[in-house]
Amino acid sequence: MTQTLNIDILTIFPEIFQSPLEHGIIRRAKQAGIVTITPHNLRDFTHDKHHVVDDRPFGGGEGMVLKPEPIFRALEFLTHKSEPENSSIILLTPQGRTFTQSLAVDLSRLKQIVLICGRYEGIDERVNQVFSTDEVSIGDYVISGGEFAALVIVDAVVRLLPNALGCKDSTANESFSSGLLDCPVYTRPAIYRGLEVPEVLQNGNHREIAQWRRRKALEKTLLKRPDLLDKAPLRKEDLDLISKIKENS
Ligand code: ADE
């Protein structure tokens, strides 16, 4: 039996998650019981009449900070049965470590992920102290809150779950899994507006096609993301090809 990943999302805007989780791979994965994704309204964990979730920062300064009490209550409720070694509590914040494919792979092996969507100026630091949250950013830019960052993480993780994609090998050759960017792809017609699909892709020689694809992936990575080549697992033939590409350009 396949394991189910439970994703809980803590947010003051649960409505944001309605439509994005109802399409394609995520929808199918939910229907197949591979994943559950549950947005929780942080205001449901307040005890005051006005469901207040934020307050001014101690020491003065701009903006509002998310209060500790609703987040503590929510996390206690969501994690009281969790196995710490199989779960992760992640705070989405631009101050976090950058989200990568390798982190997505690690998360896809867990049983529970709790995503806390930060808002305003941040959340009370005592949440991090007590729940040892992993702070994660989706990139070096600031968006209005963690909700869209949470959606990015959910999508990247769910598609890696066993049986989430139709074909078993679908994620193996894509960008970042191999450490390189993808090679260019073509479909019919073979000639469109005078532009022809490379001959090698039409000749059916699988060895030549694999070589061409590897060379194009290396070329593209060298041109657009040379930083990736430092970490990519490269063979001797790859290094020779890179030298040739550099000579030619
Ligand atoms: N909240 C605001 N900006 C963010 C970012 N870049 N990543 C994650 N959460 C955020």
Side-chain angles (χ1 to χ4, degrees), residues 92-94 136-139 141-143 145-146 149:
L92 284 325
T93 162
V136 174
S137 162
I138 55 161
Y141 43 82
V142 179
I143 51 179

Side-chain angles (χ1 to χ4, degrees), residues 165-174 177:
L165 299 189
C167 167
K168 238 171 125 201
D169 290 335
S170 306
T171 56
N173 291 322
E174 59 189 20
S177 291

Side-chain angles (χ1 to χ4, degrees), residues 142-166:
V142 179
I143 51 179
S144 329
E147 282 75 12
F148 292 102
L151 283 168
V152 167
I153 292 180
V154 167
D155 192 285
V157 170
V158 169
R159 61 197 301 288
L160 291 174
L161 296 174
N163 304 326
L165 299 189

